[in-house]
């Protein structure tokens, strides 16, 4: 089962990684993209806590990078929030 919102987030994060010239930010974004690719097809979806941690990391990257990179990260965050709204619990 593919969680489309998480797959979309992974794609947006890879686009953000491709758009940055900062090696550290690229590596962090590629790691996040890979994580969301895995979460999109995992047997169980992530919980609110895991998603919140990812959101925090991505917000920090967007704030540091700005511009086109931040726009792609924000697209990813919108997809993550859309998925998160379907998760039961908190």
């Amino acid at each position: 089962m593919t969680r489309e919102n998480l797959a979309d987030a992974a794609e947006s994060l890879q686009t953000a990684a491709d758009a940055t010239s900062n090696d550290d930010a690229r590596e962090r974004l590629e790691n996040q993209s890979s994580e969301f690719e895995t979460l999109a097809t995992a047997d169980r979806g992530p919980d609110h806590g895991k998603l919140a941690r990812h959101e925090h990391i991505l917000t920090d990257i967007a704030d540091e990078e700005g511009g086109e990179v931040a726009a792609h990260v924000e697209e990813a965050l919108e997809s993550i929030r859309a998925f998160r709204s379907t998760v039961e619990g908190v």
Side-chain angles (χ1 to χ4, degrees):
M1 171 183 163
T2 300
R3 294 169 187 86
E4 290 300 320
N5 292 98
L6 299 183
D8 291 346
E11 186 176 319
S12 294
L13 293 171
Q14 185 57 54
T15 302
D18 293 341
T20 188
S21 59
N22 180 317
D23 291 339
D24 182 52
R26 181 180 303 107
E27 182 177 345
R28 292 172 68 196
L29 288 163
E30 287 174 345
N31 288 341
Q32 290 292 307
S33 176
S34 178
E35 180 73 21
F36 277 99
E37 285 177 10
T38 300
L39 292 172
T41 58
D43 290 338
R44 289 187 50 203
D47 61 24
H48 283 286
K50 184 170 193 71
L51 292 170
R53 287 188 295 277
H54 284 288
E55 286 182 79
H56 179 74
I57 292 167
L58 295 172
T59 299
D60 285 348
I61 295 171
D63 290 345
E64 292 169 6
E65 291 297 303
E68 180 183 359
V69 174
H72 291 299
V73 171
E74 186 55 41
E75 288 175 19
L77 286 168
E78 288 174 15
S79 295
I80 294 164
R81 290 178 190 125
F83 175 79
R84 194 170 177 192
S85 71
T86 68
V87 177
E88 292 185 27
V90 177

